[in-house]
Amino acid sequence: MNNALVEIKQVCAGYDHKTVLKDVSLTIYERDFLGIIGPNGGGKTTLLKVILGLLRPFSGEVVQHESLKQRIGYMPQTNSIDKRFPILVSEVVESGLIAEKGLSGQEKKALVKAMLVTMGIEQLASQPIGKLSGGQLQRTLLARAVINQPALLILDEPNSYVDKRFETNFYGLLQELNKATSIVLVSHDVGSIVSTVKNIACVDETLHYHAGTDIDEHWLEAHYDCPLDLIGHGAIPHRILKSHD
Ligand code: ADP
């Protein structure tokens, strides 16, 4: 059994007097690949804030274990980024090294260069983020999130803005990173994550943990058309809403 990195114990959390998460318990282990799915407004992002230590729960406990060593890489939703902000791709990626006090400027530049190559965006190094496509911005943010080799990588809705040509490559990159890094991938797009993750947690106020990916894509395909949206928990085992945009 791998070591626990983060333990969420019977957490209730929300904003002001509004409770968004009720009695949620979850343990994230080393080298886990956890998919968090659930309906819009179900509390996925709120759970991330709790995991990251950005939101103090009303009750319950959040334990970040020693093995985590504060090393968490976070990739926000791209629509939360102000693309008008005058910053270059290389500067965004380098900002992921902000806590690495022991590195010289030259060492940081070398790491940034190598990371840009890994992500296939080295030719964009001097571009302002305002000039990037959604997929290019996604790669830039992923590069920033993983450049300091985090023990835990958290991705919020990466497939909501994915560049389709990059999608397979993106999940391949995540599989590669998962050899050394525990990953939490939040999505309301069930279909595209079930083939990628190892375990699934469904969040809709409460949390239901599925060891393994027993909600598999074949089952989903047999019952529903894509895209799918999870709207809640029912008897068999989840109710899924068909919605086409
Ligand atoms: P999800 O990520 O699953 O879409 P969120 O965690 O973002 O859900 O939101 C859960 C609920 O909390 C929603 O009803 C949302 O409106 C509310 N909420 C989110 N952020 C805030 C906030 N900063 N202040 C007040 N309510 C919020």
Side-chain angles (χ1 to χ4, degrees):
M1 172 64 89
N2 289 327
N3 293 324
L5 292 175
V6 183
E7 280 179 274
I8 311 280
K9 298 180 187 174
Q10 294 174 305
V11 158
C12 293
Y15 309 92
D16 300 322
H17 296 292
K18 176 182 169 161
T19 300
V20 174
L21 298 175
K22 278 189 190 155
D23 195 22
V24 163
S25 295
L26 175 69
T27 304
I28 300 165
Y29 294 96
E30 281 176 341
R31 284 181 289 284
D32 196 359
F33 198 150
L34 178 70
I36 297 182
I37 58 177
N40 282 330
K44 300 182 294 297
T45 303
T46 303
L47 177 61
L48 289 192
K49 289 182 194 167
V50 168
I51 295 169
L52 288 162
L54 297 175
L55 185 69
R56 189 197 290 260
F58 298 147
S59 61
E61 200 184 350
V62 181
V63 182
Q64 292 196 353
H65 284 263
E66 182 55 27
S67 46
L68 187 61
K69 295 190 182 76
Q70 305 283 315
R71 299 185 83 95
I72 305 183
Y74 175 56
M75 182 173 153
Q77 299 184 16
T78 37
N79 58 16
S80 67
I81 305 293
D82 184 354
K83 287 183 77 176
R84 292 167 304 178
F85 193 75
I87 186 167
L88 307 179
V89 166
S90 57
E91 293 170 331
V92 171
V93 177
E94 190 171 334
S95 72
L97 292 170
I98 209 148
E100 305 297 319
K101 306 284 183 225
L103 293 175
S104 69
Q106 227 168 13
E107 285 168 326
K108 285 184 180 180
K109 295 269 176 289
L111 284 174
V112 169
K113 198 168 172 195
M115 185 50 70
L116 291 172
V117 170
T118 303
M119 295 294 163
I121 49 172
E122 66 273 26
Q123 76 285 4
L124 301 173
S126 307
Q127 289 288 325
I129 58 167
K131 291 237 164 107
L132 303 181
S133 69
Q136 290 167 339
L137 181 58
Q138 179 191 44
R139 276 176 265 187
T140 303
L141 294 174
L142 181 62
R144 175 185 177 275
V146 300
I147 193 166
N148 71 341
Q149 299 182 308
L152 174 61
L153 171 64
I154 294 181
L155 305 112
D156 196 356
E157 296 282 6
N159 30 15
S160 61
Y161 47 84
V162 79
D163 175 340
K164 289 292 168 203
R165 284 163 304 168
F166 182 56
E167 192 165 15
T168 321
N169 186 1
F170 179 75
Y171 288 114
L173 267 173
L174 293 185
Q175 301 284 4
E176 201 51 41
L177 287 166
N178 188 222
K179 290 178 183 161
T181 306
S182 190
I183 302 179
V184 172
L185 173 62
V186 171
S187 180
H188 67 269
D189 180 359
V190 187
S192 66
I193 63 166
V194 285
S195 53
T196 311
V197 303
K198 293 175 181 164
N199 300 298
I200 292 179
C202 301
V203 179
D204 187 8
E205 196 168 277
T206 55
L207 183 147
H208 296 245
Y209 185 82
H210 299 260
T213 50
D214 59 338
I215 313 171
D216 78 13
E217 57 190 340
H218 306 295
W219 184 89
L220 290 168
E221 273 171 18
H223 291 77
Y224 304 97
D225 295 331
C226 290
L228 303 144
D229 204 1
L230 190 97
I231 57 169
H233 285 79
I236 51 139
H238 302 88
R239 294 189 292 134
I240 311 277
L241 173 74
K242 264 194 286 187
S243 69
H244 292 87
D245 45 25

